[in-house]
Amino acid sequence: MPSNIARIIGGPALVMYRGATFYTKGDIAVVEEIVPFNVATSRFGEETDKRLDQRQVTVRFTPAGEWENLGVLYPYRTALIGSLITPQRIAVEAINTTSDQLTATAHGLADGDLVLVEMSIGGAFPTLSAGALSDTTKYYVAKVDDDKLTLHPTYADAIADPPTNALNFTAQPTGTMYVDRDHPLTIWAFDGEKHVFHNAAVVGQPDIIGSAVATLFGEVQFEAFVRNGFDPTDENSIETVSFAALTDTSFDPDAILTVPFTAAWGATAPWDSFEARAGWRFRFPVRLESRGNDRIGNRTKRLVSASAFATAIPDGIDSSQLSTKLRIQGTGAHRGARLVGGDDLNVYGPDDEPYIRIYGARLRTGQRMFGAAVDRVGECEWYAARSFDAGVAEPLFYVGSEAPA
């Protein structure tokens, strides 16, 4: 049968998320999966029929290597254990009942953004001149400035110039009011094909590769969920596809860093300044648990745990120095000993950029090698140990362009 070869569609794209634009080292993969469950009968077996259980959409790519947008790529460095990864809760600090403006410092919202509202436990919504607020009603934002906004019943009201029909507040809330927003992830191909996943969150923070001959990032993974306030049976509840010309001039190869790294672990030689034979690899795994309900299925995920690890072959370290740091025998080696109180592991490039710190680092594993073609000390792995200041948990790791305070 005849075919048109021009219909073989392909080509690169860029990714936009939370104000960041990512060029990628390789391909962008979008994996859409239907997870079924079986309906069983004795007569026809466990696969008599199949029904929809969950739908899952993941987006994976490796950033090109620009050392930027680190807060976007590593959202769980200081995140509260037990918090939902989406939607974002934005606290309303004050409501002006004359101008109907809500104060929410650095809210990050734009004209037309869809939001829901909620109250802290035991709180009561502010009253309106007509109707009442609801935590299941969709509202639309008009941005006044970086710290103030108004709420509107329709998208058209919010994007009008000037905005129209702002919700008219007549009293203050009791307790803290929150504005809840999703963060869309956009994959925009250079041929104009545009995919917007309306509610996305990072579910896999990228590794960092600290080497003079490699770009900095491993793969980052996102998951796209049903939009807050929507039902999965609604059109465009997860993704919207459109076509629009893309013009982008943000790419700068100078921002892709490939630099040598130096490490410092404590103040005692030789660990106070050493290098790695084949570079460093940092991992920042998190454990997330799905959260939803029986009618809809998974709606978001909850952060359950986070950790940080560094791996390298330390250069210039002998086996005795390694054994001393491992503490597998001698003082403090009893079963049940606390494995905290280590020195911060600092790994940094020239002029402290990039800068990676593993707080309270302790060695988890260390290898001693014996052979004609291997160094005596092999690969070692450090882990971050949580510390507390007046009962408040400190971060496990830091990534930035200068040494942390």
Side-chain angles (χ1 to χ4, degrees):
M1 61 181 292
S3 63
N4 184 346
I5 198 170
R7 295 301 301 162
I8 301 176
I9 298 170
L14 52 75
V15 179
M16 300 174 177
Y17 183 71
R18 298 193 74 160
T21 297
F22 295 101
Y23 279 77
T24 65
K25 184 175 181 178
D27 300 333
I28 303 165
V30 179
V31 180
E32 300 174 316
E33 182 181 6
I34 295 297
V35 181
F37 68 90
N38 292 330
V39 174
T41 64
S42 176
R43 172 64 179 86
F44 298 104
E46 292 187 358
E47 296 198 13
T48 300
D49 199 4
K50 287 185 180 293
R51 307 288 169 86
L52 174 63
D53 182 359
Q54 306 290 344
R55 66 209 59 77
Q56 185 172 22
V57 180
T58 56
V59 178
R60 304 193 308 268
F61 64 90
T62 300
E66 299 95 330
W67 188 247
E68 56 192 22
N69 302 312
L70 302 177
V72 174
L73 293 172
Y74 301 98
Y76 305 121
R77 188 178 74 87
T78 58
L80 180 66
I81 298 297
S83 61
L84 300 178
I85 66 172
T86 181
Q88 179 191 4
R89 303 174 81 205
I90 303 169
V92 175
E93 298 149 32
I95 298 177
N96 188 316
T97 55
T98 301
S99 66
D100 297 317
Q101 294 178 3
L102 283 64
T103 297
T105 302
H107 55 72
L109 292 160
D111 291 341
D113 280 349
L114 185 152
V115 298
L116 274 68
V117 296
E118 59 164 315
M119 288 301 305
S120 58
I121 295 174
F125 278 123
T127 55
L128 303 175
S129 61
L133 287 172
S134 165
D135 61 9
T136 58
T137 299
K138 304 177 185 71
Y139 302 101
Y140 297 85
V141 167
K143 177 182 175 181
V144 178
D145 58 33
D146 290 345
D147 301 322
K148 292 183 175 61
L149 59 95
T150 54
L151 296 178
H152 302 260
T154 71
Y155 176 80
D157 288 328
I159 65 169
D161 187 16
T164 57
N165 298 320
L167 298 186
N168 180 222
F169 293 94
T170 57
Q172 300 294 325
T174 301
T176 302
M177 177 176 162
Y178 295 93
V179 174
D180 302 331
R181 63 88 51 90
D182 300 331
H183 286 283
L185 181 146
T186 299
I187 299 174
W188 202 340
F190 288 92
D191 63 2
E193 186 174 333
K194 184 178 181 181
H195 295 250
V196 177
F197 298 91
H198 298 285
N199 180 16
V202 172
V203 294
Q205 299 176 124
D207 291 358
I208 294 176
I209 298 92
S211 171
V213 293
T215 52
L216 283 162
F217 295 113
E219 183 180 85
V220 60
Q221 181 169 316
F222 293 80
E223 186 168 343
F225 301 93
V226 175
R227 300 175 77 176
N228 195 22
F230 284 71
D231 191 278
T233 58
D234 296 334
E235 294 295 328
N236 301 312
S237 61
I238 296 178
E239 176 188 9
T240 297
V241 181
S242 61
F243 293 84
L246 171 62
T247 301
D248 181 83
T249 59
S250 64
F251 180 69
D252 179 5
D254 288 341
I256 298 177
L257 302 182
T258 52
V259 299
F261 286 80
T262 301
W265 184 35
T268 304
W271 298 101
D272 59 339
S273 181
F274 68 100
E275 296 177 345
R277 186 158 66 86
W280 291 83
R281 192 168 195 103
F282 300 89
R283 299 182 295 113
F284 311 99
V286 294
R287 185 161 70 89
L288 305 170
E289 294 289 344
S290 294
R291 180 67 177 87
N293 60 37
D294 186 66
R295 184 179 70 85
I296 294 178
N298 295 339
R299 294 301 305 266
T300 183
K301 290 187 174 180
R302 191 181 300 279
L303 177 63
V304 176
S305 66
S307 50
F309 300 90
T311 305
I313 302 173
D315 207 17
I317 306 297
D318 65 36
S319 58
S320 175
Q321 292 161 340
L322 176 64
S323 292
T324 298
K325 282 291 191 179
L326 273 170
R327 299 183 188 178
I328 61 173
Q329 63 180 8
T331 302
H334 62 276
R335 190 180 188 187
R338 292 191 71 209
L339 299 177
V340 296
D343 294 311
D344 297 341
L345 174 64
N346 299 284
V347 182
Y348 45 87
D351 300 319
D352 290 349
E353 185 182 27
Y355 202 106
I356 303 101
R357 174 176 289 179
I358 303 296
Y359 287 99
R362 294 287 299 268
L363 274 176
R364 180 172 178 269
T365 61
Q367 295 183 6
R368 282 175 288 179
M369 309 293 292
F370 296 84
V374 294
D375 294 341
R376 183 56 43 85
V377 172
E379 185 175 85
C380 298
E381 184 178 64
W382 289 258
Y383 65 89
R386 180 82 71 183
S387 62
F388 293 82
D389 183 6
V392 178
E394 299 287 345
L396 292 172
F397 69 95
Y398 165 85
V399 291
S401 297
E402 60 184 7

